[in-house]
């Protein structure tokens, strides 16, 4: 870079002449406009903005100008370079956009190609329904109780007012553990869990007991030696059959929706007095006059059998150490297998237990 | 209990227009639940009584002989020649017999329409019917021949045979023993409709003085024993049609007049009756406990070996009847019996229940006795039977009536008048309570708000105050119970165990496993297939007295029994990729075959007693089991896929443990049914809680499964018990990471887990260790393998210097050298 020279005639420095600067700028701008690719634009940048470009070279001469000329010339060159840089940036954006668009088009895939290489798991509906019912009761402040499946005879029967000679005991089709004097059974209901709860806690008691139970029924389309129940037990001061009905109505509504209800028919269970069979309003036809006659779910009854229930027999309270003068309770039991088969219109109960993955898969992880 | 509606309506005059359906619904709401309505309108007429006027036997080309008959079917139905021509293939009738004829237009059960048709060269203008054709049973090869005088020609046979009558099949709960009789059902029907009824047990007993000599030594079992004799009875006389019909409609067989009468009276008033051929009795009747080893051949021809738990009826020869259950063969009523001794005894329910159970001999009598029979009835029952026998079979009722003992009395039940309201939640006023109880036959006294209720002799279920509530509510109506949601106190939600179990279930589903529910039954055949050694403790099962299958005599000790059966089913149904899992209990017997105690029910067992009961029960831990076959990753357009391997099974168990924050140690193991070289044990605090890996090829062959099936099973209870209440604190450094790779040559049998542990322990700076390659081959010596690890180094408090990194690497090399590793060069 030469030092300022007072002898130097700016008019004679050709590159800094206004027309030259203008020409260089226009040449650059048209080259920029003409660049069709980022690659071409890169060359344009080298040619017109790079260190060896006319305007870069011209810019170097400015310092040599006399001070009075420097400002005007500097402005002229600076404006030209500014215009070029702006145009470059704009053209870069344009070309980048075009190229990206092109790239995206070529990268387009068929998103309908299946990516089904990973196996998908599922939970059995008998598991999820037990959890679902548990949640409904937990939301009301109840707790979920559990117990063993091989149970003491005393807890499965005697404590529940089913003495050794009780006719209902022979009706239970019980699996007995060998030898018979071991006095153990496969529990025929989840009621011994209720007894266990009463034996180990003091009222107020509000528990539900979901679980697997056993009867000596041969497996066929409508019977199974292994099935599932959820039972509920409440023991508190002042409980009556009305509270039982309220609880069951709430459960029906929580599972099946707003307008559901239950009805009671008298029945007999040794552990409750009074006892009732409980029917659920048919969740398909809702016993509507124009739908009920055709309804397959309830076979035109308008109601479906749902389970048994009643007021806890004071004899059971006594065996479990609860004062029947002070406390009363209610209990209910609902068959879950039938709840599943009837709700999902499953004709053969064996489908629940033979383990074909196509039975469980549609359920996913929630009912 | 099968109740012929016509019989019921005879005892209760129902309001006009009450249909059978309405009656059944009302009884159902009264705790007599309708199972079904049997019969009624299956046969559509004309079905009439006819007399065979003439009968010509004609041989046919097909070898059969038919009867070409003229039958008089009454003026309304006869043709111009005063009869009808009918072809009949049966041969059990002769000219002059009364028969049942279905005429053209009739429809028989099964929709069989009768029309005049050409057959065997005649036009048969109707059909002579057999019992089978009318749906009332009997031999199909013979037609019905009515006894002379039973009917007139032209009578409507539908009515005569009771074909139009309906029978209610009612489910009678064990507490309503009285409803195993028309008497009881009629009483409840009357109560339900607010009507009076005719009590068929309202019988005047005429006997006086002593009859047949009877002694009751076992009065605990037999509080009342009554006996009455009828002599000169004609055993050839038939049972009147109406009686046979009622007996059969009620589900029993009509056998002979004498037997039918005893059954009829049992159905009518609910008291079982036994009849003896008096001429076969030897000496006085004595009721006593059986001697051990005494024998009795019962009516069904079976020789029963008796024990001191049985009560028997004896004469001089020994036992002649098993009390309340079944009579003996030697003294039974026969076709030649002319002298009948009628026994009506009141047996105590528990004794009958035990005997019927012990001898596996449930009978119509035992069914009633074990639920409870009205003890006021014995003398009346004998009277009724005697009268019916004489009325239909002739002979005389002897004057002598033996009655030993008296009916036990019912203790009154005392309860506050409000109790039914409190229990049911329905407001019931005092007069309604009293009326309802009286309607049930109770004697009721109300004094200053206290009810004193004496139940009637036929009720055995009214012993407690709450029992009164049920009887009152039944009358008031269960549909009156209001719906009131109780408010439970604040609960504690699900227990930690319950929450974790759910979490494990979701993790397993997330790992691509499909949950199944199998049965927990297993047996030696399963142990054989699984290849369990002879001394394997898993062969020691909890056995069942009454298993459903001889192949599966007890409860399983491993979930793999059920899972492998389910896998076989899935593979058999053409599924290639199957990953199934089950969470359930296995059953491990306690040593010493403990017996679970049986306590009284008058108080709560003590804590020690309850603990003793718990200790006798088998251990029943919840396990998770899983089996997998096929591809872990299916081949697709972007991947070659990958078959499931032993490592997947191990990884799933480890995944579950990680989610629960439990550190499981994996060790090489050998355990059936796994491949001896491809089985991992999971160790928790020194205790093995599960196994995973590939199954033994022999096991897969035994099950007929494809090769390389993998499986895992672990004790979920143990894993959850080890889960910390709070997970680990997040602890990490923000300083930069340094990465070092290390290839180590080690003995082929050195577990990778050992190398990993050595690396992790070598320096505090080693943040993580990841094995990224395992190599066995030419480039390493025989018997060696190369393990390539990526180490990540980081300090909690500074950026690592080159010297730090070198020091850490050197430490790692040194630590692995100590277990025999050398750097691969
Ligand atoms: Zn419906």
């Amino acid at each position: 870079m030469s030092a300022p020279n007072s002898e130097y005639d700016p008019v004679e420095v050709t590159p800094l002449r206004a027309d030259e600067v203008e020409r260089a700028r226009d040449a650059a701008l048209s080259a920029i406009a003409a660049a069709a690719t980022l690659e071409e634009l890169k060359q344009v940048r080298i040619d017109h903005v790079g260190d060896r470009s006319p305007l870069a070279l011209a810019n170097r001469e400015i310092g040599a100008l006399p001070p009075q000329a420097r400002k005007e010339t500097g402005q002229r060159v600076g404006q030209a370079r500014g215009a070029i840089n702006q145009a470059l940036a704009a053209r870069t954006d344009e070309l980048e956009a075009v190229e990206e668009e092109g790239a995206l088009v070529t990268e387009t895939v068929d998103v309908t190609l299946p990516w089904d290489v990973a196996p998908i798991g599922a939970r059995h509906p008998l598991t999820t329904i037990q959890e679902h019912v548990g949640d409904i009761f937990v939301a009301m402040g109840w707790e979920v109780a559990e117990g063993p499946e091989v149970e003491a005879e005393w807890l499965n029967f005697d404590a529940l007012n089913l003495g050794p000679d009780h006719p209902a005991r022979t009706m239970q089709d019980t699996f007995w553990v060998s030898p018979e004097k071991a006095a153990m059974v496969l529990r025929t209901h989840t009621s011994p869990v209720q007894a266990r709860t009463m034996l180990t806690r003091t009222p107020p008691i509000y528990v539900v007991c979901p679980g697997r139970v056993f009867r000596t029924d041969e497996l066929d389309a409508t019977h199974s030696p292994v099935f599932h129940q959820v039972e509920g037990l409440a023991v508190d001061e002042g409980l009556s059959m009305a509270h039982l009905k309220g609880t069951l109505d709430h459960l029906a509504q929580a599972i099946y929706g707003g307008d559901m209800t239950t009805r009671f028919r008298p029945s007999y269970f040794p552990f409750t007095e009074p006892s009732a069979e409980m029917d659920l309003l048919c969740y398909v036809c809702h016993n509507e006059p124009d739908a009920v006659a055709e309804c397959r779910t309830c076979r035109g009854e308008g109601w479906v059998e749902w389970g048994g229930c009643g007021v806890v027999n004071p004899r059971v309270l006594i065996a479990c150490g609860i004062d029947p003068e002070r406390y009363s309770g209610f209990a209910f039991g609902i068959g879950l297998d039938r709840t599943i088969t009837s709700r999902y219109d499953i004709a053969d109960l064996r489908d629940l237990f033979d383990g074909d993955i196509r039975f469980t898969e549609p359920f996913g992880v929630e009912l | 209990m099968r109740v012929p509606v016509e019989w019921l309506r005879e005892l209760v005059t129902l309001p006009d227009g009450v249909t059978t359906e309405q009656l059944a619904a009302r009884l159902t709401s009264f705790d007599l639940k309708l199972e079904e309505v049997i019969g009624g309108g299956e046969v559509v007429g004309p079905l009439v009584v006819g007399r065979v006027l003439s009968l010509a036997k004609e041989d046919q080309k097909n070898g059969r002989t038919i009867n070409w008959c003229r039958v008089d079917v009454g003026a309304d139905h006869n043709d111009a020649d005063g009869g009808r021509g009918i072809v009949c293939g049966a041969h059990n009738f002769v000219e002059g017999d009364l028969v049942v004829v279905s005429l053209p237009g009739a429809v028989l059960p099964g929709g069989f329409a009768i029309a005049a048709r050409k057959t065997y060269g005649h036009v048969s203008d109707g059909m002579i019917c057999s019992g089978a054709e009318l749906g009332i049973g009997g031999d199909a090869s013979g037609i019905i021949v009515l006894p002379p005088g039973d009917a007139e020609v032209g009578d409507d046979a539908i009515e005569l045979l009771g074909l139009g009558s309906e029978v209610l099949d009612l489910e009678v709960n064990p507490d309503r023993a009285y409803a195993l009789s028309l008497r009881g059902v009629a009483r409840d029907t009357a109560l339900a409709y607010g009507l009076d009824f005719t009590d068929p047990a309202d019988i005047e007993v005429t006997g006086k003085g002593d009859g047949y000599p009877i002694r009751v030594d076992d009065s605990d079992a037999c509080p009342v024993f009554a006996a009455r004799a009828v002599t000169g009875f004609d055993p050839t006389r038939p049972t009147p049609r109406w009686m046979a019909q009622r007996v059969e409609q009620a589900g029993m067989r009509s056998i002979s007049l004498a037997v039918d009468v005893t059954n009829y009276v049992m159905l009518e008033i609910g008291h079982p009756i036994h009849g003896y051929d008096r001429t076969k009795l030897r000496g006085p009747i004595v009721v006593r406990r059986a001697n051990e080893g005494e024998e009795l051949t019962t009516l069904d021809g079976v020789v029963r070996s008796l024990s001191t738990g049985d009560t028997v009826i004896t004469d001089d020869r020994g036992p002649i009847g098993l009390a309340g259950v079944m009579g003996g063969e030697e003294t039974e009523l026969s076709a030649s019996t002319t002298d009948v001794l009628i026994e009506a005894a009141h047996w105590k329910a528990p004794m009958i229940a035990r005997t019927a159970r012990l001898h596996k001999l449930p009978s119509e009598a035992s069914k009633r006795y074990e639920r409870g029979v009205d003890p006021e009835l014995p003398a009346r029952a004998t009277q009724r039977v005697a009268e019916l026998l004489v009325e239909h079979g002739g002979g005389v009722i002897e004057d002598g009536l033996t009655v030993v003992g008296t009916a036990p009395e019912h203790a009154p039940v005392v309860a506050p008048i409000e109790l039914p309201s409190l229990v049911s939640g329905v407001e019931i006023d005092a007069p309604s309570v009293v009326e309802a109880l009286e309607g049930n036959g109770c004697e009721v006294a109300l004094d200053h708000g206290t009810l004193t209720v004496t139940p009637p002799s036929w009720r055995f279920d009214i012993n407690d105050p709450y029992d009164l509530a049920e009887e009152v509510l039944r009358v008031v109506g269960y549909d009156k119970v209001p719906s009131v949601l109780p408010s439970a106190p604040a609960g504690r939600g699900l227990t930690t165990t319950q929450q974790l179990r759910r979490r494990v279930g979701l993790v397993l589903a997330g790992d691509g496993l499909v949950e199944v529910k199998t049965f927990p039954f297993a047996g030696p055949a399963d142990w054989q297939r699984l290849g369990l050694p002879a001394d394997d403790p898993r062969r020691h099962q909890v056995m069942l007295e009454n298993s459903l299958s001889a192949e599966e005599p007890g409860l399983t000790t491993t979930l793999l029994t059920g899972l492998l059966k389910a896998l076989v089913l899935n593979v058999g149904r053409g599924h290639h990729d199957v990953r199934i899992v089950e969470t359930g209990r296995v059953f491990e017997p306690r040593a010493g075959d403990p017996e679970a105690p049986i306590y009284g029910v008058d108080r709560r067992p003590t804590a020690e007693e309850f603990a003793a009961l718990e200790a006798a029960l088998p251990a029943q831990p919840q396990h998770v089991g899983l089996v997998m076959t096929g591809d872990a990753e299916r081949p697709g357009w972007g991947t070659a896929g990958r078959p499931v391997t032993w490592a997947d099974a191990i990884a799933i168990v480890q995944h579950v443990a990680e989610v629960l924050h439990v550190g499981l140690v994996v060790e090489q193991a050998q355990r059936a049914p796994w491949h001896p070289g491809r089985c991992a044990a999971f160790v928790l605090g020194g205790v093995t809680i599960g196994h995973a890996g590939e199954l033994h090829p022999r096991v897969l062959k035994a099950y007929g499964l494809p090769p390389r099936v993998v499986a895992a099973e672990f004790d979920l209870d143990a894993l959850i018990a080890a889960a910390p209440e709070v997970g680990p604190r997040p602890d990490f450094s923000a300083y930069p990471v340094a990465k070092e790779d290390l290839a180590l040559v080690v003995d082929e049998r050195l577990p990778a887990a050992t190398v990993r542990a050595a690396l992790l322990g070598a320096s505090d700076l080693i943040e993580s260790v990841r094995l990224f390659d395992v190599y066995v081959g030419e480039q390493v010596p025989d018997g060696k393998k190369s393990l390539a690890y990526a180490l990540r180094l980081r300090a909690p408090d500074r950026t690592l210097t080159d010297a730090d990194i070198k020091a850490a690497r050197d430490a790692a090399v040194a630590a692995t050298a100590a277990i025999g590793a050398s750097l691969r060069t």
Side-chain angles (χ1 to χ4, degrees):
Chain A
M1 176 106 13
S2 43
N5 180 357
S6 55
E7 300 306 311
Y8 198 77
D9 179 0
V11 184
E12 294 308 309
V13 181
T14 315
L16 292 177
R17 286 203 328 248
D19 59 336
E20 282 298 320
V21 170
E22 209 168 292
R23 205 169 52 81
R25 185 199 64 193
D26 290 349
L29 291 178
S30 55
I32 289 168
T37 67
L38 284 170
E39 199 54 34
E40 284 176 34
L41 195 62
K42 196 171 162 193
Q43 192 56 46
V44 171
R45 183 189 297 274
I46 292 165
D47 294 348
H48 295 275
V49 187
D51 288 352
R52 307 306 300 168
S53 67
L55 283 173
L57 294 172
N59 202 42
R60 284 190 211 160
E61 302 299 332
I62 292 170
L65 291 180
Q68 66 275 24
R70 244 184 247 167
K71 185 181 176 194
E72 188 198 342
T73 310
Q75 262 178 1
R76 190 189 307 138
V77 174
Q79 277 170 0
R81 296 180 81 187
I84 293 165
N85 279 330
Q86 226 178 338
L88 259 179
R91 187 60 182 156
T92 304
D93 284 352
E94 275 174 35
L95 291 175
E96 272 179 358
V98 168
E99 290 207 356
E100 190 183 61
E101 206 174 310
L104 293 179
V105 168
T106 49
E107 287 176 9
T108 296
V109 296
D110 175 4
V111 297
T112 69
L113 284 174
W115 189 255
D116 54 357
V117 301
I120 294 173
R123 303 179 74 205
H124 199 282
L126 281 170
T127 301
T128 38
I129 196 171
Q130 289 181 53
E131 293 180 358
H132 184 44
V133 172
D135 287 343
I136 291 166
F137 281 94
V138 165
M140 291 194 288
W142 294 48
E143 293 176 13
V144 177
E146 296 166 11
E149 292 173 346
V150 173
E151 186 56 283
E153 176 183 353
W154 188 80
L155 277 165
N156 193 75
F157 291 126
D158 302 56
L160 300 169
N161 195 32
L162 271 153
D165 297 317
H166 201 291
R169 194 154 162 168
T170 46
M171 288 161 56
Q172 296 246 354
D173 306 325
T174 309
F175 280 112
W176 288 88
V177 167
S178 275
E180 213 167 319
K181 69 183 165 75
M184 293 178 220
V185 299
L186 290 187
R187 65 179 180 190
T188 55
H189 42 200
T190 47
S191 309
V193 182
Q194 300 183 19
R196 287 170 168 272
T197 306
M198 287 189 276
L199 284 166
T200 50
R201 292 199 200 180
T202 49
I205 292 169
Y206 289 84
V207 293
V208 281
C209 327
R212 179 164 77 165
V213 299
F214 307 84
R215 301 272 173 102
T216 55
D217 283 330
E218 292 282 352
L219 183 66
D220 65 25
T222 53
H223 297 87
S224 169
V226 179
F227 55 104
H228 298 76
Q229 282 188 334
V230 59
E231 291 196 12
L233 168 75
V235 181
D236 204 342
E237 290 178 0
L239 290 182
S240 76
M241 209 136 173
H243 298 109
L244 168 62
K245 176 114 167 63
T247 302
L248 291 168
D249 284 346
H250 176 79
L251 178 64
Q253 286 157 13
I255 294 180
Y256 294 99
D259 66 331
M260 290 303 291
T261 182
T262 57
R263 75 172 181 190
F264 288 164
R265 279 180 291 113
S267 187
Y268 172 77
F269 307 106
F271 28 91
T272 50
E273 186 77 31
S275 304
E277 296 277 356
M278 161 200 17
D279 295 336
L280 177 70
L281 184 67
C282 176
Y283 43 84
V284 174
C285 69
H286 294 255
N287 204 15
E288 301 281 355
D290 47 344
V292 63
E294 303 292 306
C295 184
R296 288 205 308 140
T297 302
C298 63
R299 293 195 199 87
E301 295 283 326
W303 298 84
V304 290
E305 289 187 15
W306 209 29
C309 60
V311 173
V312 178
N313 193 316
R315 286 174 184 252
V316 175
L317 296 180
I318 291 166
C320 294
I322 292 172
D323 178 7
E325 299 293 322
R326 179 170 172 200
Y327 295 105
S328 58
F330 63 79
F332 60 85
I334 294 167
L336 295 176
D337 313 77
R338 265 225 266 169
T339 303
I340 295 287
T341 53
S342 94
R343 191 161 182 206
Y344 293 92
D345 202 12
I346 296 161
D348 196 325
L349 188 62
R350 286 171 287 203
D351 289 349
L352 271 69
F353 302 111
D354 69 10
D356 191 317
I357 51 176
R358 291 168 301 176
F359 173 78
T360 307
E361 276 171 346
F363 289 98
V365 294
E366 266 304 321
L367 276 181
Chain B
M1 172 74 190
R2 292 189 173 188
V3 180
V5 174
E6 147 276 328
W7 196 354
L8 180 60
R9 283 179 183 266
E10 189 180 285
L11 299 174
V12 190
T13 309
L14 288 172
D16 287 346
V18 173
T19 65
T20 299
E21 284 68 34
Q22 288 166 341
L23 171 64
R26 189 76 186 102
L27 289 176
T28 296
S29 78
F30 239 67
D31 201 9
L32 298 176
K33 186 188 171 194
L34 179 75
E35 292 271 313
E36 58 171 334
V37 178
I38 301 165
E42 261 207 306
V43 177
V44 179
L47 190 75
V48 298
V49 174
R51 183 181 304 281
V52 181
L53 299 173
S54 66
L55 176 160
K57 294 209 180 281
E58 297 179 358
D59 292 330
Q60 300 297 318
K61 277 180 280 194
N62 62 8
R64 292 186 59 186
T65 303
I66 59 113
N67 298 298
W68 171 233
C69 313
R70 285 296 293 173
V71 184
D72 177 5
V73 289
D76 291 350
H77 298 289
N78 285 340
D79 58 24
D81 299 337
R84 294 237 185 180
I86 298 175
V87 172
C88 182
H91 298 281
N92 64 325
F93 65 105
V94 295
E95 275 174 21
D97 275 353
L98 279 179
V99 296
V100 176
V101 181
S102 56
L103 295 171
V107 182
L108 303 190
F112 180 37
I114 302 298
R117 63 193 184 103
K118 280 197 85 162
T119 180
Y120 295 117
H122 300 282
V123 173
S124 184
D125 206 8
M127 185 174 89
I128 303 177
C129 300
S130 70
E133 283 157 346
L134 297 176
I136 54 175
D139 185 358
S141 67
I143 53 124
I144 298 173
V145 178
L146 300 170
D150 222 32
E152 297 298 324
V153 167
D155 280 358
D156 178 6
I158 291 182
E159 201 192 317
L160 180 78
L161 299 174
L163 296 176
S165 65
E166 292 165 312
V167 178
L168 300 178
D169 189 5
L170 301 176
E171 181 185 321
V172 174
N173 283 315
D175 61 333
R176 302 209 176 275
Y178 65 91
L180 291 172
S181 68
L182 262 294
R183 180 196 191 204
V185 175
R187 184 189 310 281
D188 273 5
T189 306
L191 181 57
Y193 285 95
L195 303 168
D196 290 330
F197 86 113
T198 312
D199 185 351
D202 209 353
I203 299 160
E204 195 193 338
V205 178
T206 59
K208 49 183 179 290
D210 278 346
Y212 200 86
I214 311 261
R215 199 177 78 232
V216 176
D217 290 347
D218 188 5
S219 58
D220 281 348
C222 181
V224 189
F225 193 110
R228 190 80 181 268
V230 167
T231 52
F233 172 79
D234 177 359
T236 65
R237 295 273 284 275
T239 307
R241 175 151 300 280
W242 59 268
M243 182 186 287
Q245 195 173 301
R246 284 178 172 183
V247 166
E248 292 199 330
Q249 283 176 339
M252 303 183 74
R253 257 172 2 104
S254 169
I255 294 164
S256 66
L257 176 60
V259 174
D260 289 354
V261 164
T262 61
N263 285 334
Y264 181 81
V265 173
M266 177 176 73
L267 293 167
E268 185 183 51
I269 63 175
H271 202 298
I273 290 125
H274 186 69
Y276 300 94
D277 185 329
R278 200 177 69 173
T279 62
K280 294 178 188 161
L281 292 175
R282 296 182 201 155
I285 285 179
V286 176
V287 176
R288 60 162 169 84
R289 286 300 180 102
N291 300 320
E292 200 67 41
E294 254 182 320
E295 286 188 344
L296 168 68
T297 305
T298 42
L299 277 177
D300 52 5
V302 178
V303 179
R304 312 272 168 186
S305 179
L306 307 175
S307 67
T308 53
D310 298 317
T311 296
V312 285
I313 300 135
T314 64
D315 66 5
D316 290 348
R317 90 196 74 188
I320 55 169
L322 195 51
V325 177
M326 197 177 266
E329 200 178 49
E330 283 186 47
T331 55
E332 77 176 303
L333 298 176
S334 72
S336 59
T337 302
T338 56
D339 293 358
V340 181
L341 184 71
I342 305 155
E343 166 209 305
H346 181 68
W347 306 104
K348 280 280 187 62
M351 186 275 292
I352 299 297
R354 261 196 308 274
T355 297
R357 201 168 59 232
L358 201 67
H359 295 281
K360 298 188 170 55
L361 242 183
S363 64
E364 289 289 333
S366 72
K367 188 169 89 183
R368 285 173 174 78
Y369 279 123
E370 64 182 61
R371 286 163 175 78
V373 167
D374 186 347
E376 297 286 357
L377 292 188
R380 287 189 258 171
T382 57
Q383 179 80 27
R384 175 75 172 144
V385 170
E387 284 173 3
L388 285 172
L389 285 177
V390 170
E391 182 180 345
H392 300 287
V396 291
I397 306 174
E398 288 201 345
D399 277 346
L401 166 66
T402 313
V403 180
V404 180
T406 51
E409 291 203 350
H410 262 307
V413 180
V414 178
I417 185 77
E418 301 83 21
L419 191 76
S421 297
L422 293 175
V423 169
S424 64
V426 184
E427 283 298 329
I428 309 167
D429 60 24
S432 302
V433 170
V434 171
E435 195 186 340
L437 291 170
E438 285 176 344
N440 274 291
C442 298
E443 273 176 41
V444 184
L446 179 59
D447 182 29
H448 292 89
T450 299
L451 279 171
T452 302
V453 179
T454 307
S457 54
W458 59 86
R459 292 297 294 262
F460 303 90
D461 60 318
I462 303 179
N463 305 302
D464 298 331
Y466 275 46
D467 299 335
L468 303 179
E470 175 169 271
E471 294 312 312
V472 172
L473 186 59
R474 185 167 77 115
V475 176
V476 169
Y478 275 50
D479 55 339
K480 300 292 189 301
V481 174
S483 186
V484 180
L485 190 62
S487 42
R492 290 166 295 186
L494 295 176
T495 64
T496 308
T497 301
Q498 288 162 349
Q499 291 179 42
L500 293 185
R501 219 180 280 143
R502 287 186 180 195
R503 201 167 306 160
V504 168
L506 287 169
V507 167
L508 291 166
D511 283 345
L513 288 153
V514 175
E515 191 186 9
V516 297
K517 302 259 179 207
T518 70
F519 291 169
F521 307 120
D526 292 293
W527 317 140
Q528 188 66 30
R529 275 193 291 268
L530 290 174
L532 302 191
D535 60 346
D536 193 303
R538 284 171 293 175
R539 282 178 176 269
H540 186 37
Q541 298 174 259
V542 174
M543 300 299 281
L544 297 174
E545 281 290 289
N546 49 344
S547 68
L548 291 181
S549 132
E551 269 251 303
E552 297 173 339
L555 298 175
T556 196
T557 54
T558 163
L559 295 181
L560 296 180
T561 48
L563 282 165
L564 286 170
K565 281 168 203 164
L567 186 62
V568 166
L569 176 130
N570 277 286
V571 169
R573 290 184 180 176
H575 308 322
H576 179 261
D577 306 326
V578 185
R579 304 157 70 88
I580 51 177
V581 65
E582 179 166 23
T583 301
R585 293 181 191 278
V586 299
F587 304 86
E588 299 158 0
R590 303 274 182 208
D593 302 322
E595 293 167 21
I598 293 182
Y599 300 118
V601 291
D602 52 341
R603 60 164 178 90
R604 173 191 288 207
T606 64
E608 292 73 37
E609 285 171 333
F610 190 63
L613 183 150
E614 288 278 57
L617 295 177
Q620 311 171 47
Q622 296 235 29
H623 279 199
V624 170
L626 59 97
V627 294
M628 304 191 284
T629 184
D631 290 323
E633 191 183 302
R634 285 193 286 253
W637 52 269
T639 171
R642 182 177 72 74
V644 73
T645 70
W646 54 270
D648 292 301
I650 298 170
I652 288 169
V653 180
Q654 283 180 306
H655 186 199
V656 170
E658 273 162 28
V659 168
L660 300 184
H661 308 302
V662 177
L664 272 188
V665 178
V666 177
E667 289 177 1
Q668 197 81 26
Q670 294 196 347
R671 179 176 168 90
W674 281 276
H675 186 308
R678 296 184 171 188
C679 175
F682 301 103
V683 181
L684 185 61
V687 178
T688 298
I689 66 148
H691 294 83
E694 186 177 309
L695 292 178
H696 198 296
R698 272 207 303 269
V699 172
L700 298 178
K701 207 172 154 200
Y703 278 95
L705 283 167
R708 307 284 176 217
V709 173
V710 304
E713 180 168 15
F714 62 92
D715 184 336
L716 180 61
D717 287 349
L719 196 67
I720 286 176
E725 248 174 72
V726 182
R729 182 179 73 88
D731 183 14
F732 56 87
S733 160
Y735 287 92
V737 67
K739 299 174 184 172
E740 283 288 312
D741 286 353
L742 215 54
L744 300 169
V745 176
V746 300
D747 190 279
E748 209 167 31
R749 276 167 303 177
L750 183 68
T754 309
V755 181
R756 176 188 161 82
L759 288 170
L760 280 171
S763 161
D764 289 344
L765 297 180
I766 298 178
E767 182 185 74
S768 71
V769 170
R770 183 160 197 285
L771 177 70
F772 65 87
D773 192 33
V774 178
Y775 174 79
V776 180
E778 287 172 12
Q779 293 172 38
V780 294
D782 269 359
K784 299 278 185 186
K785 63 186 172 188
S786 166
L787 304 174
Y789 287 94
L791 312 183
R792 290 168 68 89
L793 313 175
R794 203 183 320 242
D797 54 352
R798 65 185 194 281
T799 301
L800 295 179
T801 64
D802 289 348
D804 288 333
I805 295 166
K806 182 170 185 317
R809 185 187 165 88
D810 290 347
V813 172
T816 51
I819 53 169
S822 58
L823 264 184
R824 183 171 168 197
T825 48

